[in-house]
Amino acid sequence: MDYKVVGDTAYALVYKQDQPLTEAQAEALAEEYAKLGVRYKKCVWKGINCVITKAPAAEFEAFCEKKKQNWKSIQERVGYSGFITVKDNTYAPGRLAFTPGPDWNEIVAFIDSNF
């Protein structure tokens, strides 16, 4: 599935609510994502460890394709299982629309303040 970024800049917040990422797992996830071409940072969002990024749209779209191909091995190297929550400004043309949710402006402000 192809994903497109809404606008010129991608924003992404990634975390786990159920069994949150440890600090080491969040740092490892940021490193794994950076290997795929987009700089991620470990942060704390509402008391839980997360990773965030702010990147040019085309760079982020290419990253999403690489991540999709490497997702299982990334999970194994980082050392977690289960679902993660991703809040970003992407959508799947023809299948999904961008639905930012009520906290989207807060997420963008959080990412902007940390980049």
Side-chain angles (χ1 to χ4, degrees):
M1 181 177 347
D2 290 331
Y3 286 93
K4 296 295 178 196
V5 173
V6 175
D8 295 330
T9 303
Y11 291 90
L13 168 70
V14 181
Y15 62 94
K16 282 188 72 178
Q17 283 183 298
D18 198 16
Q19 298 179 341
L21 296 169
T22 65
E23 282 197 38
Q25 288 171 326
E27 289 172 8
L29 186 58
E31 289 175 18
E32 289 292 330
Y33 282 179
K35 290 177 189 175
L36 299 178
V38 171
R39 180 176 170 247
Y40 270 78
K41 293 176 64 173
K42 178 206 159 292
C43 287
V44 176
W45 169 252
K46 297 187 178 183
I48 58 175
N49 290 314
C50 67
V51 294
I52 61 171
T53 194
K54 179 179 175 181
E59 187 177 306
F60 190 76
E61 289 167 4
F63 159 80
C64 287
E65 287 301 312
K66 292 177 193 171
K67 181 180 71 170
K68 185 170 49 175
Q69 296 167 7
N70 293 283
W71 180 239
K72 186 67 177 162
S73 63
I74 290 171
Q75 277 187 305
E76 290 169 1
R77 286 192 299 276
V78 171
Y80 72 88
S81 60
F83 294 105
I84 59 170
T85 299
V86 179
K87 295 188 176 189
D88 62 23
N89 57 330
T90 63
Y91 70 102
R95 290 197 51 186
L96 302 170
F98 175 53
T99 53
D103 59 353
W104 182 246
N105 289 338
E106 184 182 357
I107 290 167
V108 170
F110 172 72
I111 293 171
D112 278 340
S113 71
N114 284 284
F115 262 86

